[in-house]
Amino acid sequence: MPLPTDPAIIETSQGLVDVLHGLFGSHPGQRPGKRTPPKQPNSHRYPLTPSEVHAKGILLKGTFEPTSEAAVLSAAPHFHRSSTPILARFSSSTGIPNLPDTDPNGNPRGLALRFMLEESPRHVHTDIITHSTPFFPAKDGPEALAFFRAFASGTMGSFLSTHPAALAFAQAEKPFPASFATETYFGVNAFKFVADDRKETFIRYRIIPIAGESYLDDEQVKAETDTYLYDDLSARLSTGPVTFDLVAQMAEDGDATDDCTVHWPNDRILVTLGRVRLESVVEDNLAEQKRIIFDPVPRVRGIEPSEDPLIETRAGVYLISGRERRTA
């Protein structure tokens, strides 16, 4: 996974990593995290918790089985095989590795998938990174950096008053899931599928739970333990796979593909790309989480990044923080 080639993107990515460390402190070997800003006027009751990097998480392994529709849309190898091994990481927001699952700062939750395309002679993979809200507070790297600097300087209220996308993110519902397995996860960036016949289609990913969505109210959250999400996941895996559908929301002409803060209409077609089956927890989990660096750039035939400028910045943040984590 190489760094972006644009020096300005590298500078912004490093700036984001630095400001996150400054806000929350450095946790050697952990992902850089974010302290949650105080609730803003007229915002949702849950605090603002951007989910760029999540320190508390768990790594699982399983398989992906594609649909025939996926093979029509994209030449990507994992859409043309009967199954592909995958890694998945569920995570909670903030940079606190032992954050209680009942702390609202842990919302939104994250889910990253890695499709293991080739193990030898070289490691080839492609990743999908999602979180449990379709909202994102910034359309590009400089705006994301300004967002966190506003928080660091205590001027978040003023920033939100002039940045409607960040305000929408702050006000969006971020409920407590009953389980990682009962949450829907959204990929906020657009990507371009390229089919074998070279037909191009822009999509955004969703990961939809087969168990259905289920959330807790305030009283139910109070009755849960500090590790209820992770305990529940272990209990579910003891009885069988945790399953999701990987889905693509299809763009139509005129839909913005270069701005992750612009939502596509709800009537856009959803195409199921395949079934995700998470079967067990990865051994040496903490060590493997320290090692793995998820990549927002697809880097595989049949899937290309859109012109969304945030993709390269996110890749830079992930790589810089990942290298720090590995050497800690």
Side-chain angles (χ1 to χ4, degrees), residues 39-56:
K39 185 170 64 174
Q40 301 297 328
N42 302 318
S43 71
H44 181 63
R45 58 183 175 175
Y46 297 117
L48 178 62
T49 52
S51 59
E52 187 67 30
V53 209
H54 295 194
K56 183 179 181 180

Side-chain angles (χ1 to χ4, degrees), residues 34 80 94-95 106 151 180 235 274:
K34 296 159 285 290
H80 290 260
T94 85
F151 176 39
F180 281 125

Side-chain angles (χ1 to χ4, degrees), residues 223-273:
E224 293 290 352
T225 68
D226 288 351
T227 57
Y228 84 92
L229 287 172
Y230 295 85
D231 295 340
D232 169 84
L233 193 58
S234 296
R236 287 175 184 265
L237 290 170
S238 70
T239 64
V242 171
T243 54
F244 295 85
D245 275 341
L246 177 63
V247 172
Q249 183 187 28
M250 312 287 285
E252 294 187 5
D253 289 345
D255 288 341
T257 59
D258 60 353
D259 186 342
C260 68
T261 67
V262 177
H263 291 209
W264 298 345
N266 289 331
D267 62 0
R268 295 298 182 256
I269 294 172
L270 300 177
V271 175
T272 300
L273 302 174

Side-chain angles (χ1 to χ4, degrees), residues 273-301:
L273 302 174
R275 180 63 53 89
V276 172
R277 301 181 187 277
L278 305 179
E279 297 154 352
S280 62
V281 175
V282 171
E283 295 180 1
D284 299 323
N285 210 269
L286 292 179
E288 290 302 314
Q289 288 191 71
K290 181 178 178 180
R291 183 189 65 81
I292 195 168
I293 303 174
F294 287 99
D295 188 355
V297 179
R299 306 186 201 279
V300 67
R301 180 176 63 91

Side-chain angles (χ1 to χ4, degrees), residues 16-256:
L16 281 162
V17 173
D18 291 344
V19 75
L20 294 177
H21 284 323
L23 282 169
F24 209 79
S26 179
H27 296 272
Q30 301 289 342
R31 287 161 169 78
K34 296 159 285 290
R35 184 171 52 188
T36 300
K39 185 170 64 174
Q40 301 297 328
N42 302 318
S43 71
H44 181 63
R45 58 183 175 175
Y46 297 117
L48 178 62
T49 52
S51 59
E52 187 67 30
V53 209
H54 295 194
K56 183 179 181 180
I58 187 169
L59 196 63
L60 289 79
K61 58 184 176 181
T63 57
F64 171 75
E65 300 171 356
T67 62
S68 57
E69 289 82 2
V72 172
L73 288 170
S74 170
H78 53 300
F79 294 154
H80 290 260
R81 301 173 180 175
S82 59
S83 66
T84 298
I86 59 173
L87 295 174
R89 185 176 188 266
F90 290 106
S91 60
S92 301
S93 288
T94 85
I96 304 176
N98 59 351
L99 183 79
D101 293 352
T102 53
D103 189 321
N105 295 329
N107 298 312
R109 311 293 163 164
L111 173 56
L113 298 178
R114 168 159 294 180
F115 302 84
M116 310 296 291
L117 303 177
E118 183 181 330
E119 285 296 306
S120 179
R122 60 195 182 99
H123 296 287
V124 179
H125 57 77
T126 189
D127 301 340
I128 296 173
I129 298 167
T130 66
H131 67 183
S132 59
T133 174
F135 291 87
F136 205 78
K139 68 180 186 300
D140 57 28
E143 190 169 283
L145 183 56
F147 171 86
F148 288 111
R149 284 176 171 168
F151 176 39
S153 64
T155 59
M156 181 58 73
S158 175
F159 184 89
L160 293 180
S161 70
T162 57
H163 291 78
L167 180 61
F169 183 94
Q171 295 177 337
E173 295 280 338
K174 303 178 188 71
F176 284 91
S179 166
F180 281 125
T182 64
E183 180 71 275
T184 294
Y185 302 87
F186 300 85
V188 296
N189 303 115
F191 294 92
K192 182 169 66 177
F193 279 0
V194 182
D196 284 324
D197 63 3
R198 306 305 302 170
K199 180 180 179 182
E200 299 178 350
T201 308
F202 284 96
I203 65 97
R204 281 175 174 160
Y205 290 111
R206 292 186 190 180
I207 304 176
I208 299 176
I210 301 303
E213 292 184 353
S214 180
Y215 300 96
L216 305 180
D217 61 29
D218 289 349
E219 292 304 312
Q220 290 172 315
V221 171
K222 291 177 182 178
E224 293 290 352
T225 68
D226 288 351
T227 57
Y228 84 92
L229 287 172
Y230 295 85
D231 295 340
D232 169 84
L233 193 58
S234 296
R236 287 175 184 265
L237 290 170
S238 70
T239 64
V242 171
T243 54
F244 295 85
D245 275 341
L246 177 63
V247 172
Q249 183 187 28
M250 312 287 285
E252 294 187 5
D253 289 345
D255 288 341

